[in-house]
């Protein structure tokens, strides 16, 4: 509850500050209270649209959701650059140096913010392939390749046509199997239409597609309904369960998602109980866990690789700087003796459809003996 109160207070300060500055820059000839109230309403369109969908049966058209996402991102940068120019103004005032007027300040702030958002939108649609070579301490008879992805967020900015282009990238990598680390759906299971199911069926992976739930799977619908569409799409869904790929002699442990990054591990099956189900503990073990809470689970059971997502690598500046402080590994790969924790920045987006300082990615992992 305290976190919710903090978010509300932050949003009030953010909205009022931004609205007041926009009023001073462009709308002083109009009634102050009316203009500021309208700007605050527009600024909060993201929260309003999402709340309407969450609290009622009414589904807002994707176009209006998309516009509200853009508005949120744009207002974040407008807030940042007003704050930055206000700090510059304050410093200059100490030295009795005059600064630009409110109108020029507003023009500069809005133009820079719009340019950043346009470039961020373009960058968000450019998917990179990041390749990792991992040599295991355990013996494997034949090397294998994994295509790993996370955070597709169907129902946000991920159209079926765009998804098809990403699947073509996956198929060109020719992976032995595919691992999807959660948040496949954004906010509503109804967005996972037949069109998306048909696209996922085009993934070419001879030894299967393995998926786990992310926290957004729990926001989007009942577990039964989500499992149903995942099954139609050709996924083997692991919720605190294991799978064995005999052709490559590798075990996959799929973890149930923590419903939020602040959740406790006590909400799901203990990793050692899952590990006890593995018959041959000399074989490689890969954990797929949406939220990269800690490397301790993997280290505890002598696992070899963990693949996670959730963080989006912060998605856009300056959130990426904050996310780096929140997680031991917020992006990339870190090795702990023989255990490799790999966190992907994800394929899709949540909220503002921009990537500034981060990239959309698909991960290719080449696994060999040491």
């Amino acid at each position: 509850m305290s976190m919710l109160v903090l978010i509300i207070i932050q949003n009030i300060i953010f909205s009022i500050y931004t609205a007041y500055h926009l009023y001073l820059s462009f709308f002083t000839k109009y009634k102050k209270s009316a203009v500021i109230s309208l700007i605050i309403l527009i600024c909060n369109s993201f929260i309003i649209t999402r709340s309407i969908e969450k609290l009622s049966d009414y589904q807002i058209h994707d176009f209006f959701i998309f516009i509200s996402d853009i508005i949120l991102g744009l207002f974040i940068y407008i807030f940042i650059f007003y704050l930055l120019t206000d700090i510059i103004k304050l410093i200059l005032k100490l030295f009795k140096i005059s600064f630009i007027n409110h109108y020029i300040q507003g023009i500069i702030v809005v133009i820079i913010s719009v340019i950043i958002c346009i470039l961020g939108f373009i960058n968000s649609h450019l998917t990179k392939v990041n390749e990792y070579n991992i040599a295991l301490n355990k013996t494997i008879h034949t090397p294998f390749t994994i295509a790993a992805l996370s955070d597709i967020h169907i129902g946000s900015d991920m159209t079926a046509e765009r998804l098809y282009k990403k699947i073509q990238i996956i198929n060109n990598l020719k992976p032995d199997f595919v691992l999807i680390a959660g948040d496949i759906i954004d906010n509503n299971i109804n967005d996972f239409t037949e069109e998306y199911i048909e696209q996922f069926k085009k993934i070419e992976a001879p030894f299967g597609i393995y998926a786990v739930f992310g926290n957004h799977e729990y926001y989007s619908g009942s577990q039964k309904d989500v499992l149903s569409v995942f099954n139609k799409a050709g996924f083997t869904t692991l919720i605190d369960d294991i799978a064995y790929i005999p052709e490559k002699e590798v075990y996959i442990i799929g973890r149930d998602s923590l419903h939020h990054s602040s959740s406790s591990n006590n909400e799901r099956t203990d990793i050692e109980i899952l590990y006890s189900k593995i018959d041959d503990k000399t074989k490689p073990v890969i954990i797929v866990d949406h939220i990269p809470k800690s490397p301790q689970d993997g280290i505890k059971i002598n696992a070899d690789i963990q693949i996670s997502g959730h963080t989006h690598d912060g998605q856009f500046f300056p959130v990426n700087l904050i996310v780096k402080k929140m997680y031991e590994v917020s992006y990339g790969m870190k090795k702990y003796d023989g255990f490799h924790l790999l966190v992907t920045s994800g394929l899709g987006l949540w909220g503002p459809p921009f990537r500034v300082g981060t990239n959309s990615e698909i991960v290719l992992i080449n696994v060999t003996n040491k």
Side-chain angles (χ1 to χ4, degrees):
M1 182 61 71
S2 59
M3 179 61 73
L4 178 61
V5 171
L6 180 62
I7 291 170
I8 291 171
I9 292 171
Q10 288 175 332
N11 185 65
I12 290 170
I13 295 169
F14 159 71
S15 300
I16 294 175
Y17 177 85
T18 308
Y20 179 68
H21 275 68
L22 287 170
Y23 166 78
L24 290 178
S25 293
F26 304 112
F27 305 109
T28 51
K29 63 181 180 180
Y30 301 103
K31 189 176 179 180
K32 182 192 288 187
S33 59
V35 170
I36 290 177
S37 297
L38 179 60
I39 295 174
I40 289 173
L41 189 67
I42 294 169
C43 183
N44 286 280
S45 59
F46 174 85
I47 295 174
I48 294 168
T49 53
R50 297 294 174 118
S51 298
I52 290 171
E53 282 203 323
K54 196 71 178 176
L55 300 174
S56 71
D57 294 329
Y58 183 75
Q59 187 170 357
I60 297 173
H61 194 278
D62 288 344
F63 173 78
F64 296 108
I65 293 290
F66 180 66
I67 294 300
S68 70
D69 290 349
I70 289 176
I71 288 170
L72 175 61
L74 180 61
F75 270 78
I76 288 171
Y77 280 108
I78 288 174
F79 169 80
I80 289 170
F81 287 111
Y82 265 126
L83 185 61
L84 183 62
T85 51
D86 276 353
I87 292 170
I88 294 171
K89 184 190 296 186
L90 184 62
I91 293 170
L92 292 176
K93 189 175 181 180
L94 293 175
F95 294 96
K96 298 181 179 180
I97 300 172
S98 60
F99 190 64
I100 53 179
N101 61 40
H102 289 299
Y103 176 71
I104 299 299
Q105 182 187 15
I107 290 291
I108 292 171
V109 165
V110 171
I111 288 175
I112 293 174
S113 299
V114 169
I115 289 171
I116 287 174
C117 289
I118 290 171
L119 294 176
F121 179 77
I122 294 170
N123 184 51
S124 74
H125 286 69
L126 305 175
T127 297
K128 294 187 174 182
V129 175
N130 281 333
E131 189 169 357
Y132 296 88
N133 298 309
I134 296 179
L136 302 184
N137 290 338
K138 296 175 185 174
T139 301
I140 58 173
H141 294 287
T142 57
F144 55 87
T145 59
I146 308 164
L149 57 150
S150 181
D151 300 277
I152 301 170
H153 287 280
I154 288 169
S156 181
D157 188 37
M158 183 64 68
T159 64
E161 292 77 17
R162 184 179 168 198
L163 178 63
Y164 173 66
K165 293 177 182 178
K166 311 309 177 187
I167 288 171
Q168 285 181 309
I169 295 173
I170 293 170
N171 290 342
N172 289 336
L173 298 175
K174 300 186 184 306
D176 290 310
F177 53 95
V178 173
L179 301 177
I180 308 179
D183 278 7
I184 297 167
I185 309 172
D186 185 53
N187 203 46
N188 193 325
I189 192 172
N190 295 326
D191 292 321
F192 203 131
T193 60
E194 194 67 34
E195 194 175 9
Y196 288 96
I197 290 171
E198 290 304 313
Q199 299 302 342
F200 278 118
K201 287 180 179 178
K202 294 174 184 175
I203 293 178
E204 298 168 7
F207 304 121
I209 305 164
Y210 301 86
V212 300
F213 275 23
N215 52 305
H216 277 257
E217 267 68 58
Y218 286 102
Y219 305 157
S220 62
S222 70
Q223 187 183 82
K224 179 181 177 182
D225 290 339
V226 174
L227 281 170
S228 177
V229 294
F230 281 11
N231 183 56
K232 289 178 183 177
F235 305 158
T236 298
T237 308
L238 303 174
I239 304 175
D240 277 343
D241 203 357
I242 67 169
Y244 180 59
I245 303 176
E247 295 87 350
K248 296 298 176 182
E249 298 184 316
V250 58
Y251 286 94
I252 301 167
I253 298 179
R255 300 290 269 138
D256 190 7
S257 178
L258 297 168
H259 290 204
H260 192 272
S261 55
S262 62
S263 300
S264 166
N265 265 336
N266 297 332
E267 297 176 5
R268 52 189 186 169
T269 305
D270 187 84
I271 190 70
E272 290 181 301
I273 293 175
L274 297 175
Y275 185 60
S276 68
K277 298 178 182 179
I278 291 176
D279 296 323
D280 187 347
K281 293 177 173 56
T282 66
K283 304 299 183 189
V285 175
I286 300 171
I287 300 171
V288 187
D289 191 355
H290 178 63
I291 298 176
K293 185 85 171 180
S294 164
Q296 294 309 313
D297 276 1
I299 293 170
K300 189 188 298 183
I301 64 168
N302 193 31
D304 301 276
I305 302 169
Q306 177 175 316
I307 296 166
S308 297
H310 182 67
T311 68
H312 294 220
D313 191 22
Q315 193 165 306
F316 56 88
F317 179 86
V319 181
N320 52 344
L321 302 180
I322 299 169
V323 166
K324 279 180 171 61
K325 300 294 184 182
M326 292 173 61
Y327 298 91
E328 186 170 334
V329 182
S330 64
Y331 174 69
M333 186 174 74
K334 186 173 181 179
K335 186 176 179 180
Y336 304 81
D337 292 326
F339 176 62
H340 306 77
L341 175 56
L342 194 157
V343 181
T344 172
S345 61
L347 192 63
L349 303 163
W350 179 84
F354 316 127
R355 279 194 179 269
V356 180
T358 71
N359 295 301
S360 164
E361 73 170 5
I362 294 167
V363 173
L364 178 66
I365 308 169
N366 303 305
V367 182
T368 60
N369 285 313
K370 187 173 181 180

